[in-house]
Amino acid sequence: MKQIELVKLSLRNFKGVSEFVLDSQGKNVKVFGDNATGKTTLFDGFIWLLFDKDSQNKKDFQLKTVSEAGQELHHLEHEVEATFVVDSKPLTLRKVFKEKWTKKRGEATANFTGHTTDYYVNEVPSKKKEYTEAVSQLIDENIFKLLTSPLYFNEQLSWKERRELLLAISGDITNEDVIRSNKALSPLEEILNGRSIEDHRKVIASKRAEINRELDRIPVRIDEVRRSIADTSQLNEQELHDEISFLQHAISQKEEELNRIQNGAEVIEKQQQLRTIETQLIELKNEYAEASYGELNKLRDKISVQKNNIHQFKMDIKQKEHDLNIYSNKIEAEQKEIQDLRDKWNKVNAEAFDEHQTSCVTCGQDLPEEKVQQAIEHFNLQKSEKLEKITAQGKDKANNIDQMKYQVSALKNQLIALEAEKKQAESLVEQLVQEMEETKGKTTRFEDTPDYQAKQVQIAEINASIQNLKNSTEEAVQKVRQAITGMRQEIQQHEHNKAKFDQVRKSQERISILEAEEKRLASEFEKLENELYLTEEFIRSKVNLLEEKINSKFKYARFKLFEQQINGGLMETCETLYEGVPYSRGLNNAARINVGLDIIATLAEHFNVSAPIFVDNSEAVTKLIDIDAQIISLVVSEKDKALRVETEKELMREAI
């Protein structure tokens, strides 16, 4: 087992402690002091030295010394140093946190610009990475905190983290182990089918909730279906069917009679004459339109062509203007870059050889004349190369500007030509529109021609003849139509009554399906209830096995890993018990510390590491349990207005 012992812990200007040395020599010690004298600060400094946090696991805490008014005192170095013996080998770690003050050029006083931290390993100045590696080689941060504070396990870790750590110490119990311990659980092997108990319980819960919802809905659905069933007690389905067939045959006979009345030969002849005249009228209208409106259509086509041309000219002009704007912006940008290059050329040209380069940067002695001459020539060569490079860049930029100016000139000429073509097309459109209006004024509507009016007279005469012929048979037609309408209404009513029988059959079929589904779901629910009982029995068995296995690792601490719920189920938890009293409810401070020490003893054995243990408020404990580790007790003592340390030898002497 790795043995880590704290030999000495020194604090300077740390959280209000100006200077204090805890010289423990790797032995058990007690630190006495009144409240606010700095007992907890020792533990804070110890943890900060290693992990940049305080004993409450906070990274952002006030480690600098402050005045009574709460203001930070400046120009102080805040330092913690600890000397360890690790498996008989000494190790010293020191960390210094201090302010950084910087004096800007031209100012008389320095300004506060932040903080810096210096690191030392065995008195050797180290980088942060090297220091962190030295600490990590000593021990893992999380393990160290578990082993140095009796309260850390129960008060800093979540119940899930505590549970996970306990399972890691004792080893989990497999499903097979649990099932072998209780023969009643044997059906679970087939039921689980590779799933974990937790996943299967989720499946059961989901299915139970879904089945419950369906079971609640099914009676409502059955009731809705029953209330929607039509009353057929006064109806006979076969009689309705026969009556519908009889009425349909009667309608067919009446429709044949109606056709005979309406299809008189003379009416048909007049209708044929009417269709002939209407055909002639359409032909006359087409001939007239072709003769009268042909010129107008040609003018419309010409106007449309010119308008399309104008639209295209506008699009081309807009594109050219956009291109012109882009070139103008590019020219302006290139000209600015040329000016920047001129300024850069002048700046480089103004550079002079630095006379300080004639001295050796290491010893400060003047360089030999040939070395100085070589340095000057090298400087002049670099300067000449820089100037040539800037000049070449400037020429390239100038050539680019000339090319773009040529493009700008070409674009402007193209814009002038496009504007002229657009105006010419717009003028032509105006001429064509005027010509079309004049042509319209000379054109007569077809409806105003003698041919159209003569044909309309013929159509009116034929329609009058047809109407006279129809009036003579209208009374007979009306009677037949009324009879057909009455029979169709009767059929509609019979069909409505007949449909009630189909609706009744469908409703009864739906009720049977719902009732069968209700039975199936009830059976499925009962099966799930049995599976749920088996999983709960599994968890209870596992709880007993697991708690026995874990508790066997500890002398005093006991752990409750599951909580019985009102509904009979079990909920995962991790509650530490001491003599049956839960840690979080009613356990006094002394018991908390001792049960914490018991947990540390088991954790130390598990991680194979022994580290110094800081016991805060240890005055509450009459006797600490025996543990194979160095203990630093922080004791509240009202009479000690400054920290006082008693070593193990002194404590034994007082006891004697």
Side-chain angles (χ1 to χ4, degrees):
M1 177 181 289
K2 178 186 280 189
Q3 292 286 341
I4 302 173
E5 297 173 348
L6 177 63
V7 177
K8 185 166 65 175
L9 177 66
S10 303
L11 275 68
R12 185 164 64 89
N13 297 322
F14 186 85
K15 287 188 66 177
V17 176
S18 58
E19 191 87 34
F20 186 80
V21 177
L22 175 62
D23 190 4
S24 65
Q25 295 301 315
K27 306 299 182 182
N28 296 345
V29 296
K30 284 190 176 183
V31 181
F32 297 87
D34 198 2
N35 291 326
T37 54
K39 298 184 300 301
T40 304
T41 300
L42 295 178
F43 194 20
D44 289 338
F46 181 68
I47 298 298
W48 176 78
L49 174 69
L50 298 171
F51 307 116
D52 282 334
K53 299 175 184 177
D54 67 1
S55 60
Q56 296 301 311
N57 210 32
K58 296 178 182 177
K59 194 172 183 66
D60 185 16
F61 68 99
Q62 179 66 42
L63 67 86
K64 296 173 68 175
T65 301
V66 297
S67 66
E68 292 182 358
Q71 300 295 322
E72 292 183 354
L73 300 181
H74 297 296
H75 303 288
L76 294 178
E77 292 187 353
H78 312 277
E79 177 182 334
V80 177
E81 180 178 354
T83 300
F84 300 92
V85 172
V86 183
D87 291 339
S88 302
K89 294 181 181 179
L91 171 66
T92 300
L93 299 174
R94 182 158 66 99
K95 187 188 294 186
V96 182
F97 182 77
K98 55 189 177 182
E99 295 175 341
K100 183 178 180 182
W101 294 80
T102 306
K103 185 184 292 184
K104 295 182 180 179
R105 183 179 295 177
E107 293 184 0
T109 58
N111 295 310
F112 174 65
T113 56
H115 297 91
T116 61
T117 304
D118 295 335
Y119 303 91
Y120 301 87
V121 178
N122 290 328
E123 300 184 2
V124 178
S126 305
K127 295 180 181 179
K128 182 177 181 180
K129 182 179 179 181
E130 296 170 341
Y131 185 87
T132 303
E133 287 177 356
V135 173
S136 65
Q137 289 175 3
L138 177 66
I139 193 169
D140 175 78
E141 177 180 351
N142 294 323
I143 296 175
F144 194 79
K145 290 175 182 177
L146 283 166
L147 300 181
T148 54
S149 171
L151 306 182
Y152 190 85
F153 177 85
N154 288 300
E155 298 184 10
Q156 294 293 327
L157 297 184
S158 67
W159 72 265
K160 290 184 178 180
E161 291 171 325
R162 295 197 298 269
R163 198 174 194 278
E164 184 178 349
L165 183 56
L166 291 173
L167 291 175
I169 292 172
S170 66
D172 202 354
I173 295 174
T174 65
N175 290 354
E176 292 75 13
D177 294 335
V178 179
I179 292 172
R180 277 196 299 269
S181 71
N182 187 344
K183 293 182 179 180
L185 300 176
S186 56
L188 270 178
E189 289 182 329
E190 184 176 351
I191 291 171
L192 292 176
N193 194 23
R195 284 198 199 101
S196 67
I197 287 290
E198 291 77 12
D199 287 345
H200 191 65
R201 284 175 64 83
K202 291 176 184 177
V203 172
I204 291 173
S206 174
K207 288 183 176 179
R208 286 175 79 248
E210 185 179 346
I211 289 172
N212 269 328
R213 286 194 295 270
E214 288 298 317
L215 287 173
D216 289 340
R217 287 196 287 255
I218 285 176
V220 177
R221 292 175 180 172
I222 291 174
D223 184 61
E224 288 176 352
V225 174
R226 282 179 175 154
R227 283 189 281 108
S228 68
I229 295 176
D231 182 13
T232 59
S233 59
Q234 303 299 319
L235 300 174
N236 185 294
E237 188 175 10
Q238 186 60 45
E239 289 179 359
L240 290 172
H241 177 75
D242 294 342
E243 185 66 21
I244 290 170
S245 299
F246 172 78
L247 290 171
Q248 287 174 340
H249 180 68
I251 288 173
S252 298
Q253 292 178 334
K254 287 293 182 183
E255 286 176 343
E256 290 176 1
E257 181 182 352
L258 182 62
N259 287 332
R260 288 195 300 270
I261 295 171
Q262 289 178 329
N263 293 335
E266 197 170 351
V267 172
I268 293 172
E269 183 180 352
K270 292 294 182 182
Q271 288 174 339
Q272 289 175 346
Q273 291 177 5
L274 184 61
R275 286 194 289 272
T276 300
I277 294 173
E278 288 173 346
T279 302
Q280 293 172 353
L281 187 61
I282 292 171
E283 292 174 353
L284 288 171
K285 184 175 182 180
N286 291 337
E287 292 173 359
Y288 184 81
E290 186 176 351
S292 301
Y293 294 100
E295 187 62 29
L296 283 174
N297 291 334
K298 291 178 182 178
L299 290 171
R300 286 192 187 94
D301 292 342
K302 290 180 180 180
I303 291 171
S304 177
V305 170
Q306 292 304 320
K307 284 185 177 180
N308 289 336
N309 290 340
I310 292 170
H311 175 72
Q312 187 59 48
F313 288 142
K314 288 180 179 178
M315 294 294 291
D316 292 344
I317 290 169
K318 186 175 181 181
Q319 182 60 46
K320 299 296 181 187
E321 289 174 342
H322 176 71
D323 295 343
L324 188 61
N325 185 50
I326 290 174
Y327 276 115
S328 299
N329 292 336
K330 286 184 177 179
I331 290 171
E332 184 179 350
E334 292 287 301
Q335 288 173 339
K336 184 178 181 305
E337 291 184 10
I338 287 176
Q339 184 58 46
D340 292 343
L341 289 170
R342 288 195 187 100
D343 295 342
K344 185 176 179 181
W345 192 94
N346 291 331
K347 183 178 178 181
V348 172
N349 191 46
E351 292 177 353
F353 181 73
D354 186 359
E355 294 300 332
H356 292 89
Q357 297 183 11
T358 61
S359 301
C360 178
V361 296
T362 304
C363 63
Q365 294 182 357
D366 291 340
L367 296 172
E369 183 63 31
E370 63 274 12
K371 293 290 185 179
V372 173
Q373 189 61 35
Q374 288 176 2
I376 294 172
E377 290 175 356
H378 180 68
F379 171 79
N380 290 335
L381 178 60
Q382 285 188 325
K383 178 177 178 181
S384 175
E385 290 175 350
K386 289 180 182 177
L387 293 173
E388 287 178 2
K389 185 177 179 180
I390 295 170
T391 302
Q393 291 175 343
K395 287 180 180 179
D396 290 341
K397 299 290 182 185
N399 289 335
N400 289 342
I401 290 174
D402 290 341
Q403 292 176 4
M404 286 190 287
K405 284 183 177 179
Y406 175 78
Q407 294 293 336
V408 167
S409 177
L411 285 170
K412 288 181 178 179
N413 291 334
Q414 292 171 8
L415 277 171
I416 293 171
L418 287 170
E419 287 288 352
E421 290 179 350
K422 181 171 76 73
K423 288 181 180 178
Q424 184 178 358
E426 289 172 344
S427 176
L428 181 57
V429 167
E430 291 177 0
Q431 294 175 9
L432 290 170
V433 169
Q434 183 178 358
E435 184 177 346
M436 189 173 72
E437 291 299 325
E438 292 174 356
T439 304
K440 281 182 180 179
K442 299 175 184 178
T443 303
T444 303
R445 289 191 321 142
F446 174 67
E447 287 76 6
D448 297 332
T449 61
D451 289 342
Y452 176 81
Q453 293 172 358
K455 291 296 181 184
Q456 289 299 319
V457 170
Q458 292 178 8
I459 289 172
E461 290 175 352
I462 293 172
N463 280 330
S465 298
I466 291 172
Q467 189 60 43
N468 290 332
L469 291 170
K470 285 183 176 181
N471 287 339
S472 62
T473 60
E474 187 64 31
E475 185 176 352
V477 168
Q478 190 64 28
K479 288 181 180 179
V480 174
R481 283 178 175 167
Q482 288 175 352
I484 291 173
T485 301
M487 286 186 286
R488 283 179 175 163
Q489 289 174 348
E490 277 190 74
I491 289 175
Q492 187 176 7
Q493 182 60 42
H494 292 330
E495 290 284 3
H496 175 72
N497 289 331
K498 185 181 176 184
K500 291 180 180 179
F501 289 93
D502 290 334
Q503 188 266 334
V504 169
R505 282 190 289 271
K506 289 179 180 178
S507 297
Q508 290 172 342
E509 182 181 355
R510 178 59 178 160
I511 290 171
S512 298
I513 292 172
L514 289 171
E515 288 174 343
E517 179 68 8
E518 187 175 27
K519 290 180 181 178
R520 186 190 68 79
L521 290 173
S523 175
E524 183 68 21
F525 189 83
E526 185 178 348
K527 178 183 175 184
L528 291 173
E529 285 290 298
N530 182 56
E531 290 184 9
L532 184 62
Y533 168 78
L534 286 175
T535 60
E536 290 175 350
E537 189 64 23
F538 174 93
I539 293 173
R540 290 186 187 91
S541 299
K542 185 173 182 179
V543 166
N544 295 330
L545 292 174
L546 195 56
E547 288 184 348
E548 287 175 8
K549 189 174 183 181
I550 289 174
N551 290 334
S552 67
K553 300 285 185 179
F554 299 86
K555 291 183 179 179
Y556 305 102
R558 295 294 178 265
F559 298 94
K560 182 180 180 182
L561 301 181
F562 294 88
E563 180 121 15
Q564 188 80 29
Q565 294 182 294
I566 296 174
N567 62 5
L570 293 173
M571 181 176 68
E572 286 186 351
T573 185
C574 185
E575 179 73 47
T576 303
L577 307 174
Y578 181 69
E579 296 182 351
V581 180
Y583 186 95
S584 61
R585 289 176 290 172
L587 199 62
N588 61 44
N589 197 36
R592 290 186 179 195
I593 291 172
N594 272 328
V595 80
L597 290 174
D598 183 38
I599 292 170
I600 287 177
T602 300
L603 293 176
E605 183 179 350
H606 174 71
F607 292 116
N608 202 31
V609 177
S610 174
I613 302 172
F614 281 77
V615 181
D616 204 357
N617 296 315
S618 72
E619 72 283 348
V621 188
T622 305
K623 186 178 187 310
L624 296 175
I625 68 171
D626 293 333
I627 184 169
D628 186 17
Q630 181 185 9
I631 295 181
I632 299 167
S633 301
L634 306 176
V635 184
V636 176
S637 173
E638 187 176 356
K639 68 179 183 179
D640 292 296
K641 302 304 179 184
L643 294 179
R644 175 172 60 87
V645 180
E646 290 187 3
T647 63
E648 191 173 38
K649 290 182 179 179
E650 293 171 337
L651 293 170
M652 290 178 64
R653 192 181 307 118
E654 287 183 6
I656 294 171

